[in-house]
Amino acid sequence: MEFKQINHSTGEDKIHTNQIIAEFLYTHLEEYGDHIEDILKCIAYVMNPQKGGNIVVGLDENKIVGVVILNNTGMKDFIPENILVYIAVDNSQRGKGYGKQLMEKAISIAEGNIALHVEPDNPAKKLYEKLGFTNKYLEMRLIK
């Protein structure tokens, strides 16, 4: 698999536009995903020089097989510098190690620590644990 890194410094990829990436994530995140509009907001955050982050597109024979999006938090130490917002592998390509390769690439390019949220029943939880992620806190939210 080859990787394409996209951020505000590299600019939007002419082939893998924001809309194509958002549609890929919407399709392959399945029950763990968000609406395309929300995914596009996450991509816009990466592309904003005052905010930032990275998008990693995994390609096999020029076809998207996976995508990871990290947003910068603008914080350090008390809150990790990065949050992994989305990762998805093409549902017809799962089990080939693409998810692990995408995560390893995302970890290697991120400056600082990384936080992520994962549903307890999400099969990706095992991958995150193998890569060294730990469950330090129980997240609680107040939705207003």
Side-chain angles (χ1 to χ4, degrees):
M1 175 170 47
E2 69 176 272
F3 301 103
K4 174 80 73 161
Q5 183 179 345
I6 304 168
N7 57 41
H8 69 84
S9 297
T10 64
E12 184 176 323
D13 186 289
K14 302 293 184 219
I15 297 170
H16 307 102
T17 66
N18 296 353
Q19 187 68 35
I20 289 170
I21 291 169
E23 288 173 6
F24 177 90
L25 286 167
Y26 178 77
T27 299
H28 297 287
L29 283 167
E30 298 167 346
E31 72 264 29
Y32 303 107
D34 292 323
H35 298 285
I36 288 178
E37 299 80 27
D38 294 329
I39 297 169
L40 286 167
K41 288 177 191 174
C42 179
I43 293 169
Y45 189 101
V46 169
M47 301 308 287
N48 181 331
Q50 279 73 47
K51 296 180 179 176
N54 285 289
I55 300 169
V56 178
V57 179
L59 301 164
D60 188 17
E61 297 182 13
N62 293 320
K63 181 179 185 283
I64 297 176
V65 294
V67 174
V68 175
I69 301 181
L70 292 165
N71 283 162
N72 293 344
T73 65
M75 300 183 198
K76 187 176 180 182
D77 298 329
F78 66 100
I79 292 178
E81 294 88 338
N82 303 278
I83 184 162
L84 188 146
V85 184
Y86 297 113
I87 178 170
V89 172
D90 184 309
N91 55 24
S92 70
Q93 300 296 314
R94 293 184 184 152
K96 296 182 177 181
Y98 290 142
K100 181 178 182 187
Q101 291 177 56
L102 282 163
M103 283 298 300
E104 289 172 341
K105 181 66 174 178
I107 291 167
S108 76
I109 64 172
E111 294 182 18
N113 297 325
I114 303 170
L116 62 82
H117 297 115
V118 62
E119 302 284 332
D121 62 340
N122 187 328
K125 183 175 179 261
K126 288 181 178 51
L127 170 63
Y128 303 142
E129 291 168 342
K130 286 180 185 175
L131 291 170
F133 286 84
T134 60
N135 184 7
K136 186 175 179 182
Y137 302 106
L138 173 65
E139 177 184 314
M140 298 175 73
R141 291 186 182 189
L142 173 66
I143 307 296
K144 293 173 66 176

